[in-house]
Amino acid sequence: MSPDNDDEQREALTEQLGQYRAWLDAAAGLAPTTVTSYTAHTAGYLHWLANQHPTTALAQTQQRHVEGYLTALAARGCAGATRRVALHALRSFYRWHRPDASTLNPAALTRRPRSRPPLTSPYTEAEADAILAATATGGADGSSRPGLRAGLEPAVLATLRWSGLRANELCTLPVTGLDLDR
């Protein structure tokens, strides 16, 4: 392949990624970080495809190409969770690139990569109580914090512990959603 063809191919990929990103921004209803992630994963796939299968047109890609890319990510040490996000990105990309329902999405039938469960364990009751006690007194060293923050941190941690809310759910909880009397 000549350098001119390489430049043309790069420009075409860049234009296609720009169009895909614009579609994600406008139509997919995804968070900005997800749009950035999907675009980056798709760019990685398209570059891998161009290097590993230079004679394969995007319209002719198959499930084996998607699986090959995910295998290449695993060989680079990418975790299962990262490969799953890459697969979701490619499913989305092919939905955009091949909107005709009669055209096979090569990522659609690809199995989700496995990942190991996180190496974390929940706090014991005693550990959770110690954390709440430390925030109530101002910190592990017993120092106190002035102002609103001194009362806010124990309240936030206690709410998280006793309600089962996730941090993001608590952050987006409207004040009208609180029953302060209870």
Side-chain angles (χ1 to χ4, degrees):
M1 203 174 261
S2 71
D4 289 339
N5 286 345
D6 286 348
D7 289 342
E8 289 174 13
Q9 189 177 19
R10 272 191 217 98
E11 286 179 26
L13 287 177
T14 301
E15 182 177 334
Q16 199 162 44
L17 281 170
Q19 292 170 356
Y20 172 59
R21 183 177 185 119
W23 176 79
L24 287 174
D25 283 332
L30 300 173
T33 54
T34 303
V35 170
T36 299
S37 175
Y38 278 21
T39 304
H41 281 295
T42 302
Y45 169 71
L46 293 175
H47 287 101
W48 174 86
L49 189 63
N51 289 329
Q52 298 299 313
H53 302 278
T55 60
T56 302
L58 190 57
Q60 274 70 49
T61 53
Q62 300 173 6
Q63 182 178 350
R64 67 182 177 85
H65 295 106
V66 174
E67 290 170 350
Y69 177 65
L70 296 175
T71 300
L73 288 179
R76 285 188 6 211
C78 290
T82 301
R83 293 182 317 224
R84 276 198 310 276
V85 172
L87 178 58
H88 288 294
L90 294 178
R91 287 176 178 169
S92 168
F93 173 73
Y94 279 111
R95 272 194 311 273
W96 168 77
H97 186 262
R98 298 177 178 179
D100 182 12
S102 66
T103 307
L104 180 65
N105 177 337
L109 298 177
T110 303
R111 296 183 94 180
R112 288 175 31 137
R114 294 183 184 204
S115 65
R116 295 182 198 140
L119 300 175
T120 59
S121 58
Y123 292 118
T124 65
E125 290 292 320
E127 290 169 331
D129 289 339
I131 291 169
L132 288 174
T135 59
T137 60
D141 61 356
S143 62
S144 62
R145 294 183 204 117
L148 177 64
R149 192 170 177 189
L152 186 60
E153 287 178 359
V156 166
L157 289 175
T159 303
L160 290 172
R161 178 175 186 211
W162 298 113
S163 70
L165 290 173
R166 294 182 177 111
N168 188 49
E169 292 170 334
L170 181 60
C171 290
T172 58
L173 182 67
V175 174
T176 56
L178 297 175
D179 182 356
L180 297 176
D181 293 333
R182 285 180 57 199

